[in-house]
Amino acid sequence: MASTLALFLTSAGTGLLAGGASCAAVQGGLLAGAVGRRTAPHTTRPARGATTRQQATEPLAPVGAFLAGKLLSHTLLGTLLGVFGAALQPSPRTRAVLLIAAALVMLLFALDLMGVKAVARLVPRPPAAFGQLVRRKSKSGAKLAPALLGFATVLIPCGVTLSVELVAITSGSAVAGAAVMAGFVLGTAPLFAVLGYVFRQAGQAFSGRLGIVTGLVVLAVALWTAVSGLQAGGWYTTVDTTTTPAAAAEPQPGRSAKPDMPALQGPVTIDAAGKQTIVLTVTDFYEPTGFTARAGAPTTLILRGKDSGGCARAFTIPELGVQEIAKRDGDTRIDLGTRKPGKLLFSCAMGMQGGAIDFKEGAA
């Protein structure tokens, strides 16, 4: 099981790099409502010395309340997902299908943001009753309205949130699940804060252009998520194993490679009994990402953790249904059995990185 800190940092990075744009596309309307009407109906002119301070902090207060409400609801959700994680843990390919589905949903949102009318009916919308509640709260001047709207974002998750929720489930504990979701929300906070400030200062002046720009960002995230889903399912890999440089195989006494046989690549060895061992080093990445191994030999894969962290620790082989958490420092052994010729793809749980073992007849 990945450490709570590693899960927190990984989720925060996901929120910062991908989740912010995706969630802003889905939840931006709530954010706009939270900050758009926070001006009291009867305002008094502030003292001259306080004008600058008030103008600087006024847009940030409702944004902070919105993010606080969002953090609370998602942390509670992560706690529940972690508690029930052991019973609900999905297989690698189930997770991959959900990632691809999330990518398709993000694609619809991106096209909708860019004004493509053909997808308007296909875009998921919150229930009408919830929409009415949001409109009432958005028009309300109550100080708690932004926090309540932020709390309500848990009911309309964005695409990347679905994959992060899966990580919370696989964490298998309340604390780790809460850390996953809290880290993700904190990662999205910078973009939401900027958008909240823009909404407050510019109103609807640039909403059309902002929608197009956000749509393009979400479209890029959707494509990235789809590729991650394909890699997480073992259906595709971004690694070209034919050109991946690797160390030479460990020489065996009395054995020599034949010119017409494919050479073993990477840290792959075969002992005197004919048992094959493949060592994959796990840091924040996989090293190397491509191997050539002998088909027909009993094979053991060793995950060698060397200060491992991030998504790389959550190792999967989708074809075999293997899910293992690599040790931070130490070896984790996985029995691959006797493989037939062909490529066996592996990846991290969220499909962010992966690789392949190419089993070939007569590799020596």
Side-chain angles (χ1 to χ4, degrees):
M1 183 178 296
S3 70
T4 300
L5 179 59
L7 288 170
F8 176 84
L9 294 176
T10 301
S11 296
T14 302
L16 181 64
L17 299 177
S22 172
C23 291
V26 181
Q27 302 164 356
L30 292 181
L31 179 61
V35 303
R37 294 180 174 87
R38 297 281 71 83
T39 303
H42 303 287
T43 57
T44 57
R45 182 178 301 275
R48 181 174 300 179
T51 301
T52 302
R53 290 193 300 272
Q54 181 176 347
Q55 290 176 343
T57 59
E58 183 186 10
L60 300 180
V63 175
F66 179 90
L67 292 175
K70 183 179 178 181
L71 177 63
L72 177 59
S73 65
H74 283 70
T75 301
L76 292 175
L77 175 63
T79 302
L80 294 176
L81 292 176
V83 168
F84 295 104
L88 301 176
Q89 187 174 109
S91 67
R93 285 192 166 165
T94 299
R95 182 185 296 110
V97 169
L98 290 175
L99 280 173
I100 294 172
L104 293 176
V105 172
M106 281 191 285
L107 175 61
L108 292 176
F109 279 119
L111 295 176
D112 187 49
L113 280 167
M114 291 187 289
V116 179
K117 296 181 179 180
V119 303
R121 294 184 178 181
L122 301 177
V123 175
R125 308 287 184 187
F130 179 72
Q132 293 171 1
L133 174 63
V134 169
R135 284 191 292 271
R136 288 198 300 269
K137 290 298 182 183
S138 296
K139 295 176 182 178
S140 170
K143 294 182 178 181
L144 287 179
L148 293 175
L149 290 173
F151 192 90
T153 57
V154 74
L155 301 175
I156 46 173
C158 52
V160 180
T161 306
L162 298 176
S163 61
V164 177
E165 288 174 356
L166 290 174
V167 176
I169 291 173
T170 58
S171 68
S173 77
V175 174
V180 168
M181 297 307 297
F184 177 73
V185 172
L186 291 174
T188 64
L191 180 57
F192 268 82
V194 171
L195 287 178
Y197 188 87
V198 170
F199 283 140
R200 179 63 173 174
Q201 295 295 89
Q204 299 299 318
F206 301 103
S207 60
R209 295 179 184 179
L210 185 62
I212 294 175
V213 172
T214 304
L216 291 174
V217 173
V218 175
L219 180 61
V221 174
L223 295 175
W224 175 78
T225 303
V227 171
S228 296
L230 292 172
Q231 186 156 268
W235 300 302
Y236 171 79
T237 181
T238 56
V239 176
D240 183 359
T241 57
T242 62
T243 60
T244 301
E250 181 178 310
Q252 301 297 320
R255 298 178 69 249
S256 60
K258 297 180 180 181
D260 58 342
M261 290 185 177
L264 292 172
Q265 295 181 5
V268 182
T269 59
I270 300 178
D271 63 19
K275 295 182 178 180
Q276 183 170 227
T277 301
I278 303 173
V279 179
L280 174 64
T281 300
V282 183
T283 56
D284 288 331
F285 306 94
Y286 298 129
E287 301 173 1
T289 54
F291 303 88
T292 297
R294 177 184 292 182
T299 303
T300 298
L301 174 64
I302 297 177
L303 305 179
R304 181 152 294 165
K306 291 187 176 180
D307 194 24
S308 64
C311 183
R313 289 193 69 191
F315 178 85
T316 69
I317 303 178
E319 181 180 330
L320 303 180
V322 170
Q323 300 186 84
E324 292 287 346
I325 299 299
K327 295 179 180 178
R328 182 167 295 280
D329 292 288
D331 291 350
T332 302
R333 303 175 72 88
I334 301 173
D335 182 11
L336 299 182
T338 302
R339 300 292 305 172
K340 295 180 179 180
K343 290 186 178 181
L344 183 65
L345 304 184
F346 59 86
S347 77
C348 73
M350 294 180 68
M352 294 180 180
Q353 51 187 296
I357 305 172
D358 192 4
F359 289 90
K360 295 183 177 181
E361 288 280 7

